Amino acid sequence: MKLLLGKLVLNDVKATYNNTAIAPTQQGMDFNHLNFSKMNVEVRSFKMENNTFAGTVNSAEIREARGLDIQKFNTDFVYAEKEAYLKDLYLQTPKTLLRNEVILNYNSIDQLSSNLGAVKISANIKDSKIGFSDILNLVPTLRNTVPFNKYPNAILNVNANVKGSVNDLLIQDLKVSGLDQLRVLASGKVKNAMNPDQLYYDLRIGNFLLRLRPSLILFRKIQSHPIFHFLPTSALKEMPGELPKY
């Protein structure tokens, strides 16, 4: 099947979808029961051919009854036999902002499920923030896991530049803040991400500040991991040096 569209425009479209064979879920997005109250979308140069989907989303505004609220979205996208990417990405919701690009390279589409660790990734995420409530809306099963159970409404500020394969990832730059007064500035390597029993870190921690709620449950879990064994108890206080604001 081949489909080529020079331009696709949806203006104030409302749509519903119900799979009557499956009962509605109680929490989060229900992809078997969708109720879109607003869809404003403009896509150009769309191509669907030979297992390839590609095009440019010039603009998108989408609202769904179970909490999805995309205020602004634009990107160049490709999903093909050996490559997938989002370039010139800008995705904004009331609590999330993601921008720049993510590129995946693989031997075949099957590799994405059969051997994810060998998939090559290049991601450059700049001046972005991730609302935990948006993640929980898409994956509500995470609600009882750390850190979502303690910080369901947190907003994590992220700058990241990573390259390599999923199982051999080079972190050129990672800046994270949020979760109360968490501040991390790091770079290094992470290996065997898909095999937790053989997970290996070689990280250079530039700055680390962690002052959480009194229970410090998250800190204890982090501190117990081998990569943080070098951190003394004084890590509860601000370490020497100042983090740049981001």
Side-chain angles (χ1 to χ4, degrees), residues 125-212:
I125 305 300
K126 289 186 176 180
D127 301 324
S128 296
K129 59 182 182 177
I130 301 172
F132 278 17
S133 59
D134 286 337
I135 295 176
L136 292 174
N137 188 47
L138 295 173
V139 192
T141 53
L142 293 176
R143 191 170 298 275
N144 295 321
T145 63
V146 175
F148 301 100
N149 58 341
K150 297 296 182 182
Y151 301 90
N153 296 309
I155 296 177
L156 203 63
N157 301 300
V158 178
N159 281 266
N161 190 341
V162 301
K163 292 183 178 181
S165 67
V166 174
N167 271 342
D168 189 5
L169 198 60
L170 173 63
I171 302 173
Q172 296 178 320
D173 181 52
L174 176 64
K175 299 175 184 176
V176 177
S177 66
L179 300 186
D180 289 346
Q181 297 187 53
L182 172 67
R183 299 287 188 275
V184 176
L185 173 61
S187 61
K189 286 187 176 183
V190 177
K191 295 187 176 184
N192 304 319
M194 300 304 298
N195 188 354
D197 292 337
Q198 298 181 18
L199 192 60
Y200 170 81
Y201 294 91
D202 180 9
L203 297 178
R204 291 171 292 281
I205 308 297
N207 285 275
F208 188 94
L209 167 64
L210 183 57
R211 286 198 292 262
L212 300 178

Side-chain angles (χ1 to χ4, degrees), residues 105-107 111 114-121 164-168 194:
N105 294 102
Y106 37 85
N107 295 329
Q111 190 180 37
S114 65
N115 189 13
L116 182 60
V119 173
K120 293 182 179 180
I121 181 171
S165 67
V166 174
N167 271 342
D168 189 5
M194 300 304 298

Side-chain angles (χ1 to χ4, degrees), residues 7 9 20 24 48 60 67 75 84 89 98 117 120 140 154-155 173 182 201 211 219-220 225 230:
K7 183 177 181 180
V9 178
T20 56
M48 182 178 69
T75 189
L89 169 66
L98 292 176
K120 293 182 179 180
I155 296 177
D173 181 52
L182 172 67
Y201 294 91
R211 286 198 292 262
F219 175 76
R220 289 182 183 132
H225 200 281
F230 68 90

Side-chain angles (χ1 to χ4, degrees), residues 213-233:
R213 297 174 182 175
S215 65
L216 293 175
I217 292 175
L218 178 61
F219 175 76
R220 289 182 183 132
K221 286 183 177 291
I222 292 175
Q223 191 184 39
S224 67
H225 200 281
I227 184 57
F228 290 102
H229 278 178
F230 68 90
L231 287 176
T233 305

